[in-house]
């Protein structure tokens, strides 16, 4: 599948890009500038060797070409970034990793920031009215994603309103070794999923690690 990582030049986007490249998907790393996107592609090749299934583009071009989008920008950049890809994202699924953290307004990354729209993913859905927004990747750290030679010891809690999109997204995400997808229901459940992120960041700080994650147990029949 062709996947665009919108704002894929930071830790979270780069980590997701690496994992999907390893899984054999066609990855387009997006950025506000082609140069920065290319630098991120060079980093991926620095880690994985001369892989052919990753390339660089500006965000709107990446979104246009891809079949599925992943948003990995800070909350403060969420709206402007989504507006820049809104046309290209029509009819497509967007996996939203945006964390509503107080750090977006100069505060703490372990404090949840209440938004008018509810969850950050609900805010994305209100902006991208003709796309299928799924809350995903909020609870997996960039450190775990970037540790690409190891499986990830974390579930990926997702929520979204379009069932078919969630099935496609789940199959894709579970190509990442160690990751199990937990479908938490409609998009409004993102309010809960996104609150786990500042909890995990706080636990990581207290325990001097970057690999704290979450597992939901007992659901298998
Ligand atoms: N890091 C984690 O462990 C983690 C875990 C779970 C969820 N998340 C969430 O994932 C998202 C990305 O995290 P990150 O740590 O990768 O973020 P980041 O490194 O701070 O930013 C990612 C990219 O977003 C773009 N960006 C940054 N500021 C911008 C602005 N003011 N306007 C437009 N674009 C801007 C930049 O891309 P260009 O300059 O190339 O355009 C940047 O490289 C966040 O919402 C975060 O809460 C992160």
């Amino acid at each position: 599948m062709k996947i665009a990582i919108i704002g894929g030049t930071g830790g979270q986007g780069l980590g997701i890009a690496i994992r999907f490249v390893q899984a054999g998907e066609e990855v387009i790393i997006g950025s506000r500038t082609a140069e920065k996107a290319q630098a991120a592609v060079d980093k991926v090749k620095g880690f994985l060797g001369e892989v052919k299934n990753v390339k660089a583009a500006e965000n709107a071009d990446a979104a246009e070409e891809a079949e599925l989008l992943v948003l990995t920008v800070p909350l403060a950049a969420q709206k402007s970034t989504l507006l820049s890809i809104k046309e290209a994202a029509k009819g497509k699924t967007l996996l939203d990793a945006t964390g509503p953290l107080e750090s977006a307004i100069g505060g703490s990354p372990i404090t949840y920031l209440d938004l008018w729209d509810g969850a950050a993913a609900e805010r994305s859905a209100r902006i991208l009215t003709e796309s299928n927004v799924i809350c995903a990747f909020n609870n997996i750290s960039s450190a775990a994603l970037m540790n690409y030679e190891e499986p990830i010891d974390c579930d990926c809690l997702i929520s979204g309103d379009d069932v078919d999109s969630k099935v496609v997204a789940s199959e894709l995400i579970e190509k990442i070794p160690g990751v199990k997808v937990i479908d938490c229901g409609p998009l409004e459940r993102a309010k809960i999923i996104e609150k786990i992120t500042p909890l995990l960041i706080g636990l990581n700080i207290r325990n001097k690690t970057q690999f704290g994650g979450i597992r939901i147990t007992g659901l298998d029949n």
Side-chain angles (χ1 to χ4, degrees):
M1 186 184 295
K2 268 194 185 173
I3 304 161
I5 317 288
I6 306 302
T9 53
Q12 195 71 351
L14 197 63
I16 293 168
I18 286 173
R19 295 291 183 158
F20 284 155
V21 169
Q22 283 181 311
E25 305 297 330
E26 296 287 322
V27 175
I28 310 166
I29 297 184
S31 166
R32 285 170 292 179
T33 69
E35 294 75 20
K36 209 171 159 190
Q38 186 56 50
V41 167
D42 293 344
K43 276 188 200 166
V44 173
K45 291 185 176 179
F47 292 126
L48 303 182
E50 267 308 309
V51 284
K52 301 273 184 233
N53 55 329
V54 59
K55 66 178 189 177
E58 290 183 19
N59 283 327
D61 294 334
E64 184 69 46
E65 188 175 340
E67 301 160 84
L68 181 141
L69 319 177
V70 184
L71 181 70
T72 52
V73 299
L75 180 69
Q78 180 194 25
K79 185 170 184 181
S80 60
T81 305
L82 289 177
L83 289 175
S84 76
I85 62 162
K86 183 172 168 130
E87 275 301 306
K90 275 185 184 170
K92 297 178 184 174
T93 294
L94 178 131
L95 308 184
D96 188 358
T98 310
L101 308 176
E102 200 194 36
S103 48
I105 53 169
S108 165
I110 67 168
T111 302
Y112 180 82
L113 189 64
D114 274 318
L115 301 175
W116 181 269
D117 296 291
E122 288 179 293
R123 186 171 187 238
S124 287
R126 191 169 286 198
I127 297 165
L128 296 189
T129 48
E130 294 179 63
S131 305
N132 294 317
V133 175
I134 295 175
C135 170
F137 287 117
N138 290 78
N139 310 137
I140 302 180
S141 72
S142 61
L145 289 160
M146 292 292 294
N147 192 21
Y148 62 92
E149 287 174 327
E150 298 295 331
I152 294 178
D153 187 14
C154 188
D155 288 341
C156 184
L157 275 54
I158 69 166
S159 71
D161 293 333
D162 187 86
V163 173
D164 292 343
S165 300
K166 283 193 289 188
V167 170
V168 172
S170 299
E171 282 174 10
L172 178 68
I173 294 167
E174 288 195 339
K175 290 184 180 180
I176 301 174
V179 176
K180 182 177 174 195
V181 171
I182 307 288
D183 181 356
C184 299
L187 192 63
E188 64 173 22
R189 307 304 284 176
K191 291 185 193 73
I192 303 172
I193 297 171
E194 292 175 3
K195 281 195 171 119
I196 297 168
T197 308
L199 177 72
L200 290 174
I201 294 171
L203 288 171
N204 276 330
I205 292 169
R206 284 176 60 189
N207 291 281
K208 297 183 175 49
T209 181
Q210 296 178 300
F211 295 98
I214 183 166
R215 288 286 194 199
I216 307 292
T217 61
L219 300 183
D220 295 323
N221 294 318

